[in-house]
């Protein structure tokens, strides 16, 4: 179980962007919503060419918590025999409730009619083509202008839950194993699934390492490495599941836009030794 303090959240989406076209004119409508839940954040407004206010930026004041929530992580593993182990987990199943005093709401609800351009050939009173293009551009921009609404009520957002399922096969008395891992993150509007294969090495009880490769969305560029050291008294790990593989002469990545690096340390609270045959194994409890 996890209790979660919420620092901030912003969400913008369009429910409708519709164009009805016929021989004489186009009729375009849009509708979208913008929510921000950040303590001390205020929307700045500006008038468009038709005198209607729209959100043109944000002012940020004092820092504070904007909401609270809770989540649960569920997991289980099953050892089928001496070689096969299966596991599954459901992570971040929960929500955060955002305070009304920290929440701002804006609405985009506009329509635009386009019936072509008038060529100012024989009528000098008509606007120039350049002015007509500018007017059409302004009308299209108005379709995406958000106007802040009165009334501040709280809201609740769900966390991005993650479903993980894996299988591992071990050889050489658990010193080497091979794994297959499926990870599905439930984003909106659709879920994102990745499949990863790994090779794991445990030559001694205090050290282990892992190499991994993800194959669905990686374009053959996503691999990872992890190292874990656990001598008596502490545990240290470092790893990356998305590594930069190529840089130019200025050491700027050319085939990736990000790299993930994880490191950390934990301290066991209790040790217990168990004897299996002639070998002594150490089990740690945290």
């Amino acid at each position: 179980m996890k209790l979660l303090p919420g620092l901030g959240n912003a969400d913008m989406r369009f429910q409708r962007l519709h164009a009805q076209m016929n021989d004489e004119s186009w009729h375009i409508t849009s509708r979208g919503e913008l929510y921000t839940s950040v303590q001390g954040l205020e929307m700045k407004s500006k008038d468009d060419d038709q005198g209607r206010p729209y959100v043109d930026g944000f002012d940020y004041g004092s820092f504070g918590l904007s909401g609270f929530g809770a989540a649960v992580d569920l997991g289980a593993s099953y050892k089928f025999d001496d070689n096969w182990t299966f596991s599954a987990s459901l992570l971040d199943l929960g929500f955060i409730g955002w305070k009304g005093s920290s929440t701002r709401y804006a609405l985009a609800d506009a329509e635009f009619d386009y019936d072509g351009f008038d060529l100012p050939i024989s009528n000098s009173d008509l606007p120039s083509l350049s002015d007509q293009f500018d007017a059409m551009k302004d009308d299209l921009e108005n379709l995406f202008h958000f106007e802040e609404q009165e009334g501040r009520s709280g809201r609740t957002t769900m966390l991005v839950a993650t479903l993980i399922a894996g299988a591992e096969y071990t050889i050489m008395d658990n010193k080497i194993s091979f794994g297959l891992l499926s990870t599905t993150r439930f984003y909106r509007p659709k879920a994102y699934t990745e499949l990863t294969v790994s090779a794991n090495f445990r030559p001694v009880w205090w050290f282990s390492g892992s190499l991994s490769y993800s194959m669905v969305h990686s374009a053959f560029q996503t691999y990872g490495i992890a190292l874990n050291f656990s001598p008596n008294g502490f545990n240290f790990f470092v790893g990356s599941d998305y590594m930069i593989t190529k840089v130019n002469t200025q050491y700027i990545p050319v085939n990736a836009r990000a790299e993930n690096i994880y490191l950390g340390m934990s301290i066991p609270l209790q040790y217990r030794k168990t004897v299996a045959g002639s070998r002594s194994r150490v089990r740690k409890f945290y």
Side-chain angles (χ1 to χ4, degrees):
M1 294 291 296
K2 298 182 288 189
L3 298 178
L4 305 173
L7 295 179
N9 175 270
D11 186 17
M12 180 185 71
R13 64 167 57 92
F14 277 85
Q15 291 91 357
R16 182 179 71 243
L17 186 59
H18 181 262
Q20 182 177 354
M21 304 177 182
N22 54 45
D23 295 337
E24 297 184 0
S25 66
W26 295 358
H27 182 68
I28 306 174
T29 58
S30 69
R31 180 180 177 85
E33 293 180 319
L34 169 64
Y35 287 94
T36 64
S37 297
V38 181
Q39 182 69 30
L41 189 72
E42 299 288 343
M43 295 181 177
K44 295 192 302 183
S45 293
K46 179 180 178 181
D47 290 341
D48 60 17
D49 59 323
Q50 299 180 7
R52 297 177 300 185
Y54 70 95
V55 177
D56 186 49
F58 300 91
D59 284 329
Y60 183 69
S62 60
F63 172 82
L65 294 180
S66 304
F68 295 91
V72 62
D73 293 342
L74 305 173
S77 63
Y78 173 67
K79 190 171 181 59
F80 180 74
D81 55 24
D82 291 339
N83 301 107
W84 282 101
T85 300
F86 301 93
S87 61
S89 62
L90 181 61
L91 308 179
D92 295 328
L93 185 63
F95 66 95
I96 294 183
W98 305 100
K99 298 184 295 185
S101 59
S102 302
T103 299
R104 306 293 181 266
Y105 171 65
L107 177 67
D109 192 357
E111 57 183 281
F112 164 54
D113 288 301
Y114 168 70
D115 56 2
F117 294 107
D118 295 319
L119 298 178
I121 298 176
S122 60
N123 188 349
S124 60
D125 294 332
L126 292 175
S128 65
L129 281 178
S130 176
D131 291 339
Q132 293 182 61
F133 269 114
D134 290 339
M136 184 186 70
K137 180 176 71 69
D138 293 338
D139 288 335
L140 290 174
E141 288 180 351
N142 292 340
L143 294 173
F144 304 97
H145 282 172
F146 289 89
E147 181 180 354
E148 185 174 6
Q149 305 297 304
E150 297 295 332
R152 300 176 177 179
S153 59
R155 65 192 185 101
T156 300
T157 59
M158 301 298 295
L159 301 181
V160 178
T162 302
L163 178 64
I164 301 174
E168 184 182 24
Y169 182 79
T170 64
I171 60 176
M172 298 180 62
D173 195 25
N174 202 33
K175 294 185 181 300
I176 298 177
S177 67
F178 303 94
L180 180 65
L181 188 73
S182 171
T183 304
T184 301
R185 292 180 173 87
F186 295 95
Y187 295 108
R188 290 183 297 177
K190 61 181 181 180
Y192 177 93
T193 300
E194 185 60 274
L195 192 64
T196 302
V197 293
S198 66
N200 312 291
F201 308 93
R202 293 176 284 266
V204 291
W205 65 268
W206 54 267
F207 170 75
S208 61
S210 178
L211 296 174
S212 66
Y213 175 74
S214 301
M215 61 187 70
V216 177
H217 300 281
S218 62
F220 300 100
Q221 297 177 358
T222 303
Y223 72 93
I225 184 172
L227 303 175
N228 185 78
F229 303 89
S230 55
N232 289 333
F234 73 97
N235 173 263
F236 174 78
F237 65 90
V238 60
S240 173
D241 59 359
Y242 195 102
M243 302 185 66
I244 295 175
T245 58
K246 186 178 181 180
V247 296
N248 60 15
T249 55
Q250 289 77 33
Y251 298 99
I252 298 176
V254 296
N255 64 350
R257 291 173 293 178
E259 179 173 0
N260 297 332
I261 299 177
Y262 307 93
L263 60 90
M265 186 182 72
S266 59
I267 299 175
L269 300 181
Q270 180 182 356
Y271 289 96
R272 186 179 68 188
K273 292 185 178 181
T274 61
V275 178
S278 60
R279 295 172 300 173
S280 178
R281 297 180 179 177
V282 180
R283 301 178 62 183
K284 299 182 179 66
F285 297 85
Y286 301 92

